[in-house]
Amino acid sequence: GAGVSQSPRYKVAKRGQDVALRCDPISGHVSLFWYQQALGQGPEFLTYFQNEAQLDKSGLPSDRFFAERPEGSVSTLKIQRTQQEDSAVYLCASSGRQGVIGGYTFGSGTRLTVV
Amino acid sequence: GNSVTQMEGPVTLSEEAFLTINCTYTATGYPSLFWYVQYPGEGLQLLLKATKADDKGSNKGFEATYRKETTSFHLEKGSVQVSDSAVYFCALSATGGQNFVFGPGTRLSVLP
């Protein structure tokens, strides 16, 4: 597609519920990234894929967070047993072969509210 | 570790005023530096970048110069417009890195 698409746009979850957030990157982009943006803060890195390989997951805050990209295109970020501190906007970005220097294309994000 | 510090907002200016948003960084090696902008309801967009010391990035009338001696990358624009109202994020990418470290963002409001 023309841009990075994320769904749902908004998600309200009850504490303890599992959620799955979807990212459709730009077609052909090999690199895909997930960031977490708390209210009033800058985005913080969660994890990075190159094709289907998860090369860096150092930013995932706990083992309740899990990301996958099984066919090297669409990615899903799953959060198990959601907690209130998980409330944030989750951003997905993709980049082509130029990598970070070429700049990422960010999606509009999924706003997760845990109640 | 690597980090980015930005001036606190919100910044409120009148149209055609001069804009400066300060950004300083801490990083080992030679990071690349970026400014991203987030308009209301939209995703982050790359505004400009600089990949080595003394480089100047520019776009849409905005400029920033990579100053290694002061570890800074301040954003400037000579004459802001109402349409520049947004949140501006300074970011770095470490040498050989693939991800960004973002500052906390500075909200700019431009009044007509």
Side-chain angles (χ1 to χ4, degrees):
Chain A
V4 176
S5 177
Q6 292 187 246
S7 61
R9 188 77 174 88
Y10 302 94
K11 175 69 178 177
V12 178
K14 291 184 178 179
R15 193 173 59 170
Q17 186 178 356
D18 297 349
V19 298
L21 312 180
R22 177 186 169 103
C23 173
D24 282 87
I26 290 175
S27 178
H29 274 191
V30 299
S31 298
L32 185 145
F33 308 82
W34 284 98
Y35 284 79
Q36 181 189 59
Q37 186 176 16
L39 187 63
Q41 301 296 315
E44 293 193 357
F45 171 76
L46 294 178
T47 187
Y48 157 55
F49 289 86
Q50 187 166 340
N51 296 306
E52 69 278 6
Q54 189 174 20
L55 298 185
D56 188 345
K57 55 181 181 179
S58 62
L60 296 176
S62 77
D63 59 7
R64 295 187 296 104
F65 287 70
F66 173 75
E68 60 184 6
R69 192 186 187 198
E71 297 178 357
S73 55
V74 171
S75 177
T76 304
L77 177 66
K78 298 179 179 177
I79 308 173
Q80 297 177 324
R81 304 181 304 282
T82 52
Q83 304 294 315
Q84 284 193 318
E85 62 263 28
D86 300 336
S87 295
V89 176
Y90 290 86
L91 298 172
C92 178
S94 68
S95 74
R97 296 194 180 278
Q98 269 198 305
V100 68
I101 297 305
Y104 297 176
T105 301
F106 280 84
S108 297
T110 294
R111 181 177 297 278
L112 172 65
T113 303
V114 181
V115 297
Chain B
N2 298 331
S3 66
V4 175
T5 303
Q6 290 180 237
M7 64 186 290
E8 288 191 21
V11 174
T12 302
L13 297 173
S14 297
E15 204 165 23
E16 299 184 1
F18 184 86
L19 168 71
T20 299
I21 300 178
N22 290 338
C23 170
T24 57
Y25 69 90
T26 301
T28 55
Y30 300 92
S32 296
L33 303 174
F34 304 80
W35 277 99
Y36 273 81
V37 58
Q38 189 171 35
Y39 297 103
E42 299 184 16
L44 287 161
Q45 299 175 25
L46 177 65
L47 181 59
L48 54 82
K49 66 185 178 186
T51 58
K52 60 183 186 295
D54 299 325
D55 267 3
K56 178 186 284 188
S58 61
N59 186 25
K60 299 181 181 179
F62 291 89
E63 294 183 339
T65 301
Y66 187 165
R67 300 289 188 200
K68 189 163 179 63
E69 63 276 14
T70 54
T71 62
S72 65
F73 193 54
H74 304 321
L75 183 68
E76 297 182 335
K77 186 175 186 182
S79 175
V80 294
Q81 306 300 312
V82 172
S83 57
D84 294 327
S85 297
V87 181
Y88 292 81
F89 293 92
C90 186
L92 69 82
S93 178
T95 306
Q98 287 298 322
N99 60 288
F100 290 113
V101 174
F102 285 92
T106 302
R107 181 175 298 277
L108 170 67
S109 295
V110 180
L111 305 178

